[in-house]
Amino acid sequence: METKECAARRAALPPGFRFRPTDEELVVHYLRRRALETPLPPAVDIPDVRLLAHDPSDLLPPGWSEKERYFFTCKEAKYVKGRRANRATGAGYWKATGKEKPVAVSVPGPRSQSVVVGMKRSLVFYRGKPPTGKKTDWVMHEYRLAGAGLAPCRRSQDSAGADQPARLAEGWVLCRVFRKKGSAASTTSPTDDDAMERDDDGDGAVTAGVRFIDFFARADARRRRAASPVSSSCVTDASAEHCREQETTSRGAGDASD
């Protein structure tokens, strides 16, 4: 799926840098550029993919270096005459959760105000056919242009003499696909429960699956174990010496009486 050109552009990012745009940046700097058919910024890999033709595991394979991936795609109508989007794939379907949320940007000026440039919708992938599909841990955020975000597209297509201005721009969406945290692959197994327990010395602690060792407590325990036989012997010797002193005292008292 990934071409050499895309791989080269993605590899151009300096070490340590990651593609983590905000919702506003995705709509204004990337989705709107794709709708206007203008080049994207360098070192950004957002390919055009027909998402309905792929399984989520194919879009983000196990060996993929990032935890999420971005795609451009065109919305497909479920029916020939209608605006309802098609969400079905070969192995399942994407189901919307909740309502669309506006994506707004702040406009500089004497009065601070926000302008809507797009809309964001969350979807979850289900395997099987509705309504008996099985919910998975694959999630997709879908962004579309709206409000002020469509204004440049309308002006561009009006100047070109398009019969249906902004219709093509409205069809483009930007999708963010990722696997939800805390999925079945990352849940705690029965063997992990044993690792969650403290060790015999009581100097180990586990937090969120990570084991921490208190080396100071362990050193104190070693000192206590090493000091215990010496202290007991000292007590024994001291008690014996005390007995001998009492015996000598008693004998001296007896001789004096004689």
Side-chain angles (χ1 to χ4, degrees):
M1 181 185 299
E2 185 179 20
T3 63
K4 293 182 179 179
E5 181 181 357
C6 293
R9 289 193 305 170
R10 185 166 57 85
L13 285 173
F17 282 80
R18 299 292 184 270
F19 187 65
R20 296 290 186 271
T22 62
D23 294 344
E24 296 82 2
E25 292 169 342
L26 284 173
V27 173
V28 175
H29 297 286
Y30 298 100
L31 179 56
R32 191 165 63 177
R33 283 173 177 260
R34 182 64 188 90
L36 292 172
E37 298 183 353
T38 57
L40 296 181
V44 175
D45 175 23
I46 305 181
D48 295 350
V49 175
R50 185 175 178 266
L51 291 181
L52 299 183
H54 298 277
D55 190 86
S57 58
D58 297 333
L59 298 172
L60 202 70
W64 189 253
S65 58
E66 300 292 337
K67 297 180 180 180
E68 59 188 15
R69 198 174 182 186
Y70 299 84
F71 303 94
F72 289 122
T73 189
C74 286
K75 290 192 298 184
E76 301 179 18
K78 188 173 183 179
Y79 305 104
V80 178
K81 295 182 180 180
R83 299 181 62 87
R84 188 175 179 181
N86 182 23
R87 304 292 186 185
T89 68
Y93 57 96
W94 291 96
K95 183 179 180 180
T97 60
K99 298 181 179 180
E100 278 189 312
K101 297 180 180 180
V103 178
V105 296
S106 299
V107 178
R111 294 182 180 180
S112 58
Q113 57 180 354
S114 299
V115 177
V116 176
V117 293
M119 300 295 290
K120 174 183 177 181
R121 182 186 292 276
S122 298
L123 303 100
V124 178
F125 186 74
Y126 285 73
R127 295 198 179 276
K129 296 182 178 181
T132 59
K134 184 179 180 181
K135 185 178 180 181
T136 69
D137 51 7
W138 288 102
V139 180
M140 179 171 65
H141 292 165
E142 183 184 83
Y143 301 86
R144 66 178 179 88
L145 294 174
L150 282 172
C153 304
R154 291 193 178 99
R155 289 195 298 266
S156 176
Q157 294 183 6
D158 285 341
S159 61
D163 296 333
Q164 296 177 338
R167 180 62 59 86
L168 296 177
E170 292 178 357
W172 281 107
V173 293
L174 194 157
C175 300
R176 170 178 174 250
V177 180
F178 62 96
R179 202 162 191 174
K180 186 169 57 177
K181 294 181 180 180
S183 59
S186 60
T187 53
T188 305
S189 60
T191 57
D192 294 335
D193 295 337
D194 299 335
M196 296 288 288
E197 298 178 357
R198 296 175 180 266
D199 59 350
D200 296 336
D201 293 335
D203 56 4
V206 178
T207 304
V210 180
R211 188 165 181 262
F212 298 93
I213 298 176
D214 190 349
F215 291 98
F216 293 101
R218 176 169 290 183
D220 292 340
R222 290 199 186 98
R223 284 196 294 269
R224 288 196 300 269
R225 287 197 299 266
S228 57
V230 178
S231 60
S232 61
S233 62
C234 292
V235 172
T236 304
D237 295 341
S239 60
E241 184 68 22
H242 179 67
C243 292
R244 284 195 298 269
E245 288 179 358
Q246 286 183 345
E247 184 178 356
T248 304
T249 303
S250 61
R251 285 180 182 177
D255 294 340
S257 63
D258 292 340

